[in-house]
Amino acid sequence: MAQNKYLVSTFRPQTAGAISYAPLGTAVPTNAVDELDPKFTKLGYISEDGMTKSFDFDSDTEKAWGGDPVNNIFNGKTTTFEFKLIELLNKAVNQAVFGQNNVTGDLETGITVKDTNAEPESYAWVVDMIGKNGALTRIVIPSASITDMDDITYATSESAGYDITITPQADENGVTNTTYIQKAPTTAAKPSTGGKD
């Protein structure tokens, strides 16, 4: 296949927000265009850095006498996703980070967020993006939990946020996440806006 500059792309979030989460076991989409299950909740604005998908390969290189590399031993790979949630006044955002039972109330009457040492909950996650020429790109993570979070800075010079890293767990087939890419529908079908806003 010849080079094609139209297949090079940057990505932006969908209008309603890019990242959604739902209780573990919620039906996840199998393409880039279907509507999300209503159990999914959008997590609002993400910082301008977007999302980073990282890979950590665990491998060893064996060398022969004399120093020549002769064998690469693959011990496994860990994939992580990092993004910064900046809607700290959003109850759903706090529940995703601190746990459903640790966040109560609402913004009108008051939100209470309890920070405990409990193990982070696992959720289903979906990331919806729009690439060049409106191509829809969706990353589906059926099960992942928060495994790291950066410091929170409360200041007037920048938006405070939860800069979290989630690590997917593999399914029975060893798959941790799946990416779907498809042209945006041109008929009556519309791109997904996700579940609850």
Side-chain angles (χ1 to χ4, degrees):
M1 183 177 178
Q3 295 175 332
N4 187 342
K5 64 182 180 181
Y6 298 106
L7 298 181
V8 177
S9 187
T10 55
F11 296 90
R12 66 183 189 275
Q14 289 213 6
T15 303
I19 299 177
S20 307
Y21 82 116
L24 201 61
T26 300
V28 295
T30 56
N31 57 49
V33 299
D34 284 350
E35 291 286 339
L36 294 180
D37 187 293
K39 293 179 183 178
F40 276 94
T41 300
K42 292 285 188 182
L43 291 177
Y45 280 113
I46 307 300
S47 72
E48 64 180 348
D49 293 329
M51 183 184 73
T52 300
K53 181 178 181 179
S54 300
F55 307 94
D56 183 11
F57 282 80
D58 181 5
S59 60
D60 298 302
T61 300
E62 286 187 330
K63 295 182 179 180
W65 191 9
D68 291 336
V70 294
N71 190 24
N72 291 322
I73 302 173
F74 179 66
N75 300 313
K77 180 187 74 176
T78 301
T79 303
T80 59
F81 296 86
E82 181 183 1
F83 48 87
K84 185 177 181 180
L85 303 165
I86 58 175
E87 290 192 14
L88 264 67
L89 306 183
N90 185 332
K91 180 179 179 179
V93 168
N94 285 282
Q95 288 178 318
V97 174
F98 295 100
Q100 301 296 308
N101 296 329
N102 290 323
V103 181
T104 56
D106 56 52
L107 196 56
E108 292 297 322
T109 61
I111 298 174
T112 299
V113 181
K114 296 180 180 179
D115 188 355
T116 72
N117 287 326
E119 180 180 355
E121 297 179 34
S122 291
Y123 298 107
W125 304 77
V126 172
V127 183
D128 281 311
M129 300 170 284
I130 303 175
K132 193 170 186 177
N133 298 320
L136 302 180
T137 300
R138 169 177 279 170
I139 300 175
V140 176
I141 310 165
S143 177
S145 60
I146 297 174
T147 53
D148 196 18
M149 183 164 70
D150 287 351
D151 297 343
I152 304 171
T153 299
Y154 298 96
T156 57
S157 58
E158 63 177 302
S159 296
Y162 301 133
D163 191 343
I164 63 174
T165 297
I166 63 172
T167 302
Q169 295 96 38
D171 64 14
E172 63 274 11
N173 297 313
V175 179
T176 59
N177 66 97
T178 303
T179 301
Y180 300 100
I181 305 170
Q182 187 172 336
K183 287 184 178 180
T186 55
T187 59
K190 297 180 180 180
S192 169
T193 56
K196 297 176 290 184
D197 291 341

